[in-house]
Structure formats: C-alpha cells, structure tokens
Amino acid sequence: MTHKKVAIIGGGLSGLYAAYLLEQQGITDYLLLEARETFGGRIQSFAPESSDVSFDLGPAWFWPDIQPQFAQLIMELGLESFNQYDTGNMLIERSRSEPPNEVAGFVSSLVSMRLKQGMESLIKVLRKRLKSPHIYVSKQVTMLDRQQDHVVIHYHDSHDKQPQSVTADHVLLAIPPRLVIDSIRFTPALPSELTKHWQNTATWMAPHAKYIAVYEHPFWREQGLSGSARSLAGPMVEIHDASQGSESNQAALFGFIGIPATQRKEIGELQMKAYCQQQLVRLFGEQANNLKEDVIKDWAQDGYTATQQDANDAIHSLAPLCYVEHGPWQHKLTGIASEWAVEFPGYLAGAIEAAELGVSRYLALKALAST
C-alpha cells in the first residue's frame, strides 16, 4: 500500500494552499484528494458562451486593509485585482407594489476588491504552481482508519466507485467540519464532544443561493446607479454590480436570494430565475430584460458543500478545535478548512489562515517526532 507523509482531503483554497506551503518547505511526499471533478471547492465560476470572462458563483471579495496576508498572496502569485464598482446611487425596494427609492450609496472605509477573471484564477494559479504528481480530483474519501503509527485513508473514484486506499502519517482536513462528520467514517470514532462540536459548526455558503444576470453593457451606470440594491420584497435581498472592472463590456449583476433553501427547492430553478429577472426589471427598468445569460448557484443543493442540517442553519459559532487533544487520533488530524480559522472563519482569508496554522502544526509535530 502506498504511503505518504501527509494526506490532504479537499482541493479547495485551503487544501491547495496547504499543498503550496508544504512544497515551499521542500515536502512533496503528500497526496491531495478532491471529491469534485474540479478544484476550488466553494470557489466556482460561470463563464457565458463565447466569452473568456468568468463571474464568481461563490466568494468574490477580499479586503486588503484587514486581510493583508491574503492580499500579499494575491501579489505573490501575480494576480490582478480591481475595486468593486460602487460609483453612483443604490436602490432600496420595500415592496413590489411601489417603485424603489434611490439613495446615495454607502461609503465604506474598507475597499472591497475582486480578481480579474474571478476568484477561480487564484485556484488555477495555485494548482499550476504545485509540482506533486499525486493531486487528484473525483476521489471521494469515505473512511479514515487509525492503524499503529499511521492512518489508512479509504476512498473511491467518484465515477466507477472503485475502492482504493493509501496510508499517511498525518491528515489535513480541508473540508468543512460538518461535512467531515457527515461524509467520513472514523475508526475508532472521534471523541464524542469533538464530533458534536464539528457537527454543530455551520458551513459558510451552504444555506445560500446566488443569481447572476449577464448583459451586453452595464446600462444601470448610465442611469447614475451603482448596481447595488437592497430589497424587502425579494427574491434577492442584496444585489451588486458583478462586471469585470469599471470599463468592462462584460457586464453583470448578481444577488443573494433570501428565500430559504427548502422553499427554493420547491419553487425550482427555472421559476426562481424568472422571479429574479422580474425583480431586476422592477429595480433597473426594461433594459434588465435584455440579458444574455443567467445562472443560479444554489449551494444548499451542492452535496460537496451542504448537508441536510446546513439547509436551515446559518448561525455561525466560534471556530471549533482543529485537532484531537487525547486518544488514538491525537497528532494525526488537523482541520484546515476556512471554518477552523480564528480571525476570518468562512472567508477566503480564513482558508489561508487555517491552512497556514495547520501546516505549521504538522511541521511542529514532525520536528517533535524526530527529536
């Protein structure tokens, strides 16, 4: 059976960044397993037909003033960023029977930044930097088995379900705590209190849905509007300009849908798109009917992100303990998904923070074992 020093479970931002940090330390004897068919986790994008521009279906912003470590990584990787467009007035919609009110846009002391070509460009660049040949997609981990001085990782191909296994000295869990408990069996079982804490840690993005409408040009700017709106009428409760930069011809609006996950599922995607489009016409006028394409990403229906419990649980608690303090799993597991971050849990910066802490812990344990 193949043996690796480290196994990384999950190929989202935290998993890929952990691999990047390991390679910077000269450690290439690791394995990374991602269940999805693509890397990125909750960083996903939508590219309209005949276009080289993509729009973020998941997280889109970062704030350099309060997240300097993440901003430094963006610079280090040579990625281009730009300010979120917020020039002009915003709209407030209180009911569907009344026209929206136009008010001065909020002035924030924190500048929201986005990446050219979307956040997926960060995933692509990180993946390209990695040299290890043992980085895989479509590999679903089903069980972790503690044996002697190592861990046996059982997984299968997401397509043919062919069972496979590998051993590792240490496992970095780069998927949310609740998803760990829901999708992976531990032998022997994890401590009950830790299991309960991980199970009760809500997964960021999991209950939410995002709608994106793509247009030929940002016509709302011609009306002196920023593209930002708040609504009590819905279905979208918060809307922003999603265009690629201030002069872009690749224009888009996106909004967070405020209808609960269970109701969204009952309504269905086609009808939900129609409701969202109707709302954009109410807010921005008939030109909003001239969309090129639109898409909904309902994260509550994404089995690699959300569990049944996530559908109605959006209350976020303090970061759970990322390791096992006592027993057979001590020194063998470390949680590195964004939910385990202390300062920015659930954010892109949190994924970087948690991965760095997790890799630092692994290196400290490795040094301790060699003394």
Side-chain angles (χ1 to χ4, degrees):
M1 188 182 295
T2 303
H3 181 79
K4 296 293 178 184
K5 289 181 180 178
V6 185
I8 303 171
I9 300 176
L13 178 56
S14 62
L16 291 177
Y17 187 60
Y20 178 72
L21 293 174
L22 288 172
E23 291 197 5
Q24 285 188 321
Q25 295 295 321
I27 299 172
T28 57
D29 187 23
Y30 68 85
L31 171 78
L32 188 150
L33 301 171
E34 166 57 47
R36 287 182 171 92
E37 295 183 358
T38 57
F39 296 107
R42 286 166 280 184
I43 296 177
Q44 294 183 21
S45 66
F46 162 68
E49 289 186 16
S50 305
S51 173
D52 58 356
V53 172
S54 61
F55 301 99
D56 293 307
L57 295 170
W61 296 312
F62 68 100
W63 297 267
D65 292 338
I66 60 171
Q67 299 171 343
Q69 184 183 12
F70 186 81
Q72 180 60 39
L73 175 64
I74 297 303
M75 292 179 60
E76 180 182 318
L77 296 177
L79 294 167
E80 292 185 71
S81 60
F82 63 94
N83 290 20
Q84 167 66 38
Y85 187 85
D86 60 2
T87 302
N89 291 337
M90 69 178 295
L91 299 174
I92 305 294
E93 184 183 44
R94 292 183 171 83
S95 77
R96 299 183 188 186
S97 60
E98 302 175 13
N101 293 327
E102 189 172 323
V103 300
F106 294 138
V107 178
S108 174
S109 59
L110 297 178
V111 178
S112 301
M113 302 293 292
R114 290 167 48 206
L115 292 185
K116 289 188 177 180
Q117 299 305 315
M119 280 297 163
E120 200 170 58
S121 61
L122 170 58
I123 297 299
K124 290 177 179 178
V125 170
L126 273 176
R127 176 63 187 93
K128 192 174 182 180
R129 293 280 184 104
L130 301 177
K131 296 179 174 59
S132 170
H134 304 294
I135 300 174
Y136 304 104
V137 294
S138 300
K139 304 297 181 184
Q140 174 76 57
V141 174
T142 56
M143 183 170 74
L144 298 182
D145 187 2
R146 180 75 167 86
Q147 294 286 339
Q148 299 173 343
D149 61 345
H150 59 260
V151 179
V152 183
I153 298 101
H154 296 270
Y155 63 99
H156 61 243
D157 188 279
S158 300
H159 301 292
D160 61 22
K161 307 300 181 183
Q162 183 68 30
Q164 301 173 65
S165 59
V166 64
T167 64
D169 295 331
H170 196 89
V171 176
L172 297 176
L173 299 167
I175 60 177
R178 181 173 287 169
L179 203 61
V180 169
I181 300 303
D182 191 71
S183 62
I184 299 175
R185 183 158 61 95
F186 289 82
T187 306
L190 293 174
S192 58
E193 279 302 309
L194 185 73
T195 297
K196 183 179 178 181
H197 199 176
W198 287 8
Q199 182 75 56
N200 290 333
T201 301
T203 302
W204 285 77
M205 289 296 294
H208 302 296
K210 193 172 181 179
Y211 173 79
I212 300 176
V214 181
Y215 297 96
E216 288 287 352
H217 68 285
F219 60 87
W220 51 92
R221 298 180 185 178
E222 299 165 2
Q223 304 169 25
L225 300 174
S226 65
S228 296
R230 302 292 185 273
S231 175
L232 297 176
M236 292 180 285
V237 294
E238 182 180 338
I239 296 169
H240 297 277
D241 187 318
S243 308
Q244 284 284 331
S246 60
E247 304 300 326
S248 175
N249 291 324
Q250 299 293 339
L253 292 167
F254 87 84
F256 295 106
I257 297 174
I259 296 173
T262 51
Q263 289 180 245
R264 294 198 303 265
K265 190 174 182 179
E266 291 174 3
I267 293 169
E269 184 175 308
L270 286 177
Q271 188 60 60
M272 187 60 68
K273 281 184 177 181
Y275 289 151
C276 289
Q277 186 177 354
Q278 290 166 14
Q279 182 181 12
L280 292 181
V281 172
R282 292 198 311 267
L283 291 169
F284 299 102
E286 287 298 325
Q287 282 181 284
N289 264 326
N290 302 323
L291 53 82
K292 293 171 64 177
E293 289 187 59
D294 63 347
V295 64
I296 286 178
K297 174 60 181 180
D298 193 330
W299 289 97
Q301 305 305 319
D302 186 329
Y304 293 125
T305 298
T307 69
Q308 190 65 38
Q309 190 176 349
D310 281 308
N312 300 303
D313 184 359
I315 300 175
H316 298 284
S317 56
L318 295 176
L321 195 65
C322 68
Y323 57 89
V324 182
E325 292 182 290
H326 307 287
W329 288 104
Q330 186 183 23
H331 300 165
K332 290 298 176 183
L333 295 174
T334 305
I336 64 168
S338 183
E339 282 75 11
W340 274 294
V342 175
E343 190 172 6
F344 295 109
Y347 289 84
L348 296 166
I352 297 301
E353 174 195 344
E356 187 164 80
L357 289 172
V359 170
S360 296
R361 181 173 185 272
Y362 162 72
L363 294 174
L365 291 172
K366 183 171 174 284
L368 186 64
S370 63
T371 57

